[in-house]
Amino acid sequence: MSCNNNNNICNCDNTGLDYYGILSLNRNSNDLDIKKAFRRLAISHHPKAKGNNGCFEGFSLIAEAYDVLSDPLKRAVYDQYGEEGLKHGVPGPNGFIEPYVYHGEPMKTYREFFATENPYADLLDHLTRPQTLLEFSEGRGIKIKDQPVINKLQLSLQEVYFGGTKKMKIQRLVFVDCTKMKTEIKEDILTIPIKPGILTGTKMIYPEMGDQSSTKISADIIFIVEDRPHETFQRKHSDLHMIVNVFLKEALTGITITVNTIDDRIFRVPITSIITPDYRKIIKGEGLPLPDNPKEKGNLILNFHVEFPIYLSIISKDYVHKAFELLITSDTIENTEYLHRYGVQRYKMWNML
């Protein structure tokens, strides 16, 4: 680096960086110490500050050091593996931890911290309205709770049907010393009870199981239930819906549907009614368990999709037409008139094919 500035930060080599040294901190520093150090150094080393002559090198190192140490995960990797491990990536419990690359825009880091690029804005604000320590929640001894960590919990319909438990592995920062200042990444196993028939959108809350911090209350971890797609059934509350494809002949003359249930049973449903586009067959008690009373179950609802022929020859149409022509007898007049009207409607529809 070649910056004509007497400041040591501007002249340091960019290999084997000591982020703690750059911010003049020790390794036991907490989040508040890191923020205070960055605030002090960022103002004094701002490129537009008096005597700095636009030097960005040292200012960039300060911003990079803060970017790493203010992030619990990056700091943990840096503490254990140093700059080389941080910037080359390291193996982690849940896979490879990607290499860290600073975005190279120190002014972006500065703006995110101060909400301005003016190096004197913070100083002027203190001169016109000096803030006391009690204006900060930390200064009043008040801990603010972190925002909840929300995770999706996808369950198969088999898991919803039978219930049980699921174990989820999480990683979080936990205190490793009696002073509750130093943290390390640890693994925890959460046991999640699955109630038979549990509804989509159900939230399971694990209070304060997030990262531990000396300045904040740990966040709650929340799991929200989602249904995993099934190849046969679709769920609506405690009912199961199934789409059955039938040919026109089967829709008119009847068919027996074979159902393979979620609990590995097989039963057959005879369909004797004419299957119209809006026809549904409801089989009571063959759905999912009711959450409030797992001994009772919702319904299985069969919805039908009728496949019409794409072509009929003249001879075939003749046979279809004749099939709807019934001989009128004294004891079948009423039924014949109904079937004749129905047959005429069907015949017109087929002629449009």
Side-chain angles (χ1 to χ4, degrees):
M1 294 184 181
S2 58
C3 179
N4 296 325
N5 192 306
N6 293 326
N7 193 296
N8 290 331
I9 294 178
C10 245
N11 294 321
C12 65
D13 190 359
N14 199 28
T15 60
L17 292 177
D18 178 5
Y19 291 130
Y20 290 101
I22 291 172
L23 297 183
S24 300
L25 295 169
N26 58 51
R27 289 184 172 266
N28 292 327
S29 299
N30 60 30
D31 292 341
L32 185 57
D33 294 331
I34 295 169
K35 287 181 172 63
K36 289 166 63 178
F38 177 71
R39 176 186 292 271
R40 183 184 69 255
L41 293 172
I43 292 175
S44 62
H45 291 83
H46 193 287
K48 294 182 181 180
K50 184 177 179 180
N52 287 340
N53 299 322
C55 176
F56 269 89
E57 287 86 349
F59 183 65
S60 180
L61 288 177
I62 293 169
E64 181 178 337
Y66 173 75
D67 189 58
V68 172
L69 298 184
S70 63
D71 184 288
L73 179 58
K74 296 173 190 172
R75 182 178 179 181
V77 173
Y78 175 74
D79 286 346
Q80 186 169 356
Y81 298 99
E83 187 203 6
E84 183 177 357
L86 179 70
K87 293 187 175 180
H88 287 84
V90 294
N94 291 329
F96 187 73
I97 299 176
E98 294 294 326
Y100 164 73
V101 179
Y102 183 57
H103 52 66
E105 298 181 25
M107 291 308 301
K108 176 182 177 182
T109 306
Y110 189 93
R111 284 194 304 271
E112 290 173 352
F113 188 90
F114 290 99
T116 180
E117 289 189 4
N118 185 349
Y120 304 107
D122 187 69
L123 178 60
L124 291 173
D125 185 58
H126 276 277
L127 290 174
T128 56
R129 192 188 66 84
Q131 291 178 291
T132 64
L133 185 61
L134 291 178
E135 290 187 57
F136 299 96
S137 57
E138 294 88 347
R140 299 193 302 270
I142 300 173
K143 286 187 175 183
I144 300 174
K145 190 168 186 175
D146 270 339
Q147 293 295 315
V149 179
I150 298 176
N151 301 282
K152 295 178 181 179
L153 180 63
Q154 286 201 332
L155 300 177
S156 67
L157 289 185
Q158 283 81 5
E159 290 173 317
V160 173
Y161 188 93
F162 292 107
T165 58
K166 284 185 77 73
K167 294 188 180 294
M168 301 293 288
K169 183 187 294 184
I170 64 170
Q171 288 185 333
R172 65 184 187 125
L173 292 170
V174 297
F175 293 122
V176 293
D177 61 348
C178 58
T179 63
K180 293 188 176 181
M181 298 295 288
K182 186 177 180 180
T183 57
E184 289 183 2
I185 294 180
K186 299 288 185 181
E187 283 189 354
D188 272 327
I189 304 295
L190 299 181
T191 301
I192 304 176
I194 307 301
K195 187 178 180 180
I198 187 170
L199 294 175
T200 302
T202 300
K203 294 182 180 180
M204 282 164 284
I205 303 174
Y206 290 79
E208 299 181 14
M209 286 299 293
D211 291 336
Q212 294 181 341
S213 169
S214 58
T215 59
K216 291 185 178 181
I217 300 174
S218 300
D220 296 339
I221 292 183
I222 301 176
F223 292 95
I224 301 179
V225 173
E226 287 187 356
D227 289 335
R228 190 174 296 157
H230 192 274
E231 60 182 3
T232 302
F233 302 109
Q234 288 183 331
R235 177 190 187 183
K236 292 184 180 178
H237 303 292
S238 296
D239 293 336
L240 292 176
H241 288 249
M242 176 180 173
I243 297 177
V244 181
N245 294 314
V246 297
F247 292 109
L248 179 60
K249 173 186 174 183
E250 297 164 333
L252 296 175
T253 60
I255 186 176
T256 298
I257 308 298
T258 300
V259 178
N260 296 288
T261 65
I262 290 178
D263 56 338
D264 293 328
R265 291 179 294 111
I266 298 176
F267 66 86
R268 292 171 175 80
V269 183
I271 307 296
T272 56
S273 302
I274 292 177
I275 300 174
T276 59
D278 57 351
Y279 175 79
R280 298 196 309 170
K281 180 71 174 179
I282 299 176
I283 302 121
K284 294 186 177 297
E286 289 294 344
L288 295 172
L290 303 182
D292 297 331
N293 185 7
K295 291 183 179 180
E296 294 186 8
K297 295 181 175 63
N299 301 323
L300 172 62
I301 300 173
L302 303 183
N303 301 281
F304 294 87
H305 175 258
V306 180
E307 298 183 13
F308 284 80
I310 60 174
Y311 172 77
L312 281 177
S313 66
I314 295 177
I315 295 177
S316 296
K317 288 180 180 181
D318 259 353
Y319 279 117
V320 171
H321 181 68
K322 290 177 181 178
F324 284 100
E325 292 179 344
L326 300 177
L327 293 175
I328 300 176
T329 60
S330 59
D331 59 344
T332 62
I333 290 177
E334 183 178 346
N335 290 336
T336 301
E337 287 178 351
Y338 168 77
L339 289 175
H340 180 70
R341 289 197 302 271
Y342 183 81
V344 170
Q345 291 174 355
R346 287 289 179 182
Y347 179 73
K348 290 179 179 178
M349 178 177 63
W350 286 321
N351 270 301
M352 295 173 64
L353 296 176

